[in-house]
């Protein structure tokens, strides 16, 4: 693996752990003082720190990738075909979510819905600027780390399945919801397939960004209407929920 790739991975890890210092720092600086409760104040500080840390990491990672030439032998599809796969990838990722969510629920007895996604949506309602992170910056960073660097490096030495499985499992673990390991892994496998199929990292990036944007819109703008429809259909409210 290239040296700058290791620096990028370290940057990403530091960003993920920085909340343990950054959130208390923002609280000490007075962020969230006007909140109605301590919980709301903590969410405000978490939201603002996520925006700050992700933006900083994004700038650093793009700088570390400057001039990076992909010398891999991965076959590249023409741009027109790649864009078709990028658009199709959105529906493939959502389908993978739906299938694995039903497997978890019906076969494994795991309650549908994501506590991680619910908390993120709650914070977005308090700090709307966080939408930039959840819909754009976060997915781009995840695709650069887990698909371009980890999957791509493994794919050079092994075939698709071990490379996709390892990178997707790491992708799932980072989301810190072990009960939904299968679901997040299936999404990672879809994104890895898109990258391997087209040889262009923008394809899984587009699919991931579009999917997350759809999730945020569904759960912030249309949540009440969708829950009402589910009640009328006498279906569990969590069935329609999708994951970030």
């Amino acid at each position: 693996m290239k040296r700058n790739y290791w620096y990028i991975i370290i940057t990403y890890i530091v960003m993920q752990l920085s909340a343990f210092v950054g959130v208390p720092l923002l609280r000490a600086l007075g962020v969230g003082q006007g909140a109605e409760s301590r919980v709301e104040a903590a969410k405000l500080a978490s939201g603002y720190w996520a925006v700050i840390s992700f933006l900083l990491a994004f700038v650093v990672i793009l700088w570390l990738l400057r001039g990076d030439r992909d010398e891999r032998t991965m076959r590249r599809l023409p741009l027109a075909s790649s864009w078709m796969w990028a658009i199709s990838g959105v529906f493939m990722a959502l389908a993978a979510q739906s299938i694995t969510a039903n497997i978890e629920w019906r076969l494994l007895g795991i309650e549908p819905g994501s506590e991680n996604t619910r908390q993120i949506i709650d914070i977005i309602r308090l700090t709307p600027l966080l939408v930039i992170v959840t819909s754009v910056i976060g997915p781009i960073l995840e695709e650069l780390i887990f698909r371009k660097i980890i999957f791509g490096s493994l794919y050079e030495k092994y075939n698709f399945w071990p490379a996709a499985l390892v990178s997707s499992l790491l992708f799932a673990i980072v989301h810190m919801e072990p009960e939904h390991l299968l679901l997040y892994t299936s999404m990672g496998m879809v994104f890895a397939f898109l990258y391997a199929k087209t040889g262009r990292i923008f394809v899984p990036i587009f699919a991931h960004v579009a999917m997350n944007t759809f999730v945020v819109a569904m759960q912030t703008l249309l949540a009440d209407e969708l829950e009402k429809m589910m009640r009328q259909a006498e279906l569990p409210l969590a069935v329609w929920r999708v994951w970030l």
Side-chain angles (χ1 to χ4, degrees), residues 225-238:
E225 289 78 4
L226 287 167
E227 289 193 4
K228 182 178 179 180
M229 290 170 59
M230 286 297 174
R231 288 194 184 95
Q232 291 174 347
E234 296 184 350
L235 293 173
L237 296 178

Side-chain angles (χ1 to χ4, degrees), residues 17-34:
L17 298 176
S18 67
F20 291 106
V21 175
V23 173
L25 176 62
L26 290 184
R27 292 291 305 276
L29 292 174
V31 174
Q33 280 187 347

Side-chain angles (χ1 to χ4, degrees), residues 28-221:
L29 292 174
V31 174
Q33 280 187 347
E36 296 180 357
S37 66
R38 289 185 177 181
V39 173
E40 187 173 297
K43 288 181 178 180
L44 279 167
S46 297
Y48 284 120
W49 184 253
V51 173
I52 294 169
S53 61
F54 270 78
L55 280 173
L56 287 174
F58 187 58
V59 171
V60 171
I61 288 173
L62 288 183
W63 181 78
L64 289 170
L65 282 173
R66 72 194 188 285
D68 182 74
R69 294 183 179 180
D70 201 337
E71 300 172 352
R72 290 165 182 155
T73 57
M74 196 180 294
R75 183 175 64 91
R76 283 191 166 194
L77 289 183
L79 273 176
S81 299
S82 296
W83 273 111
M84 289 180 63
W85 277 107
I87 295 169
S88 300
V90 182
F91 301 98
M92 291 169 63
L94 290 171
Q97 277 198 5
S98 177
I99 292 169
T100 50
N102 273 281
I103 291 173
E104 288 182 346
W105 176 41
R106 297 179 186 278
L107 299 182
L108 304 178
I110 298 172
E111 187 69 22
S114 167
E115 180 63 20
N116 176 59
T117 300
R118 187 190 65 77
Q119 291 180 358
I120 290 173
I121 296 301
D122 286 346
I123 297 173
I124 286 175
R125 291 192 176 103
L126 294 172
T127 53
L129 194 60
L130 187 61
V131 170
I132 298 173
V133 170
T134 57
S135 297
V136 182
I137 297 176
I140 292 175
L141 291 181
E142 289 178 348
E143 293 311 307
L144 291 176
I145 298 293
F146 296 102
R147 252 59 68 181
K148 179 178 175 63
I149 294 178
I150 298 177
F151 169 76
S153 297
L154 291 172
Y155 189 58
E156 287 182 332
K157 298 182 179 180
Y158 310 101
N159 62 30
F160 172 81
W161 291 106
L165 185 59
V166 170
S167 61
S168 299
L169 280 171
L170 291 172
F171 172 72
I173 291 169
V174 165
H175 285 81
M176 295 183 292
E177 287 191 292
E179 69 275 19
H180 295 304
L181 191 71
L182 176 62
L183 185 143
Y184 284 111
T185 300
S186 71
M187 291 165 55
M189 296 292 286
V190 169
F191 296 137
F193 167 79
L194 292 172
Y195 185 31
K197 180 69 177 179
T198 63
R200 298 179 184 273
I201 192 60
F202 84 81
V203 174
I205 285 177
F206 176 88
H208 200 161
V209 167
M211 187 195 72
N212 275 29
T213 301
F214 172 74
V215 171
V216 171
M218 286 270 289
Q219 300 206 27
T220 55
L221 303 178

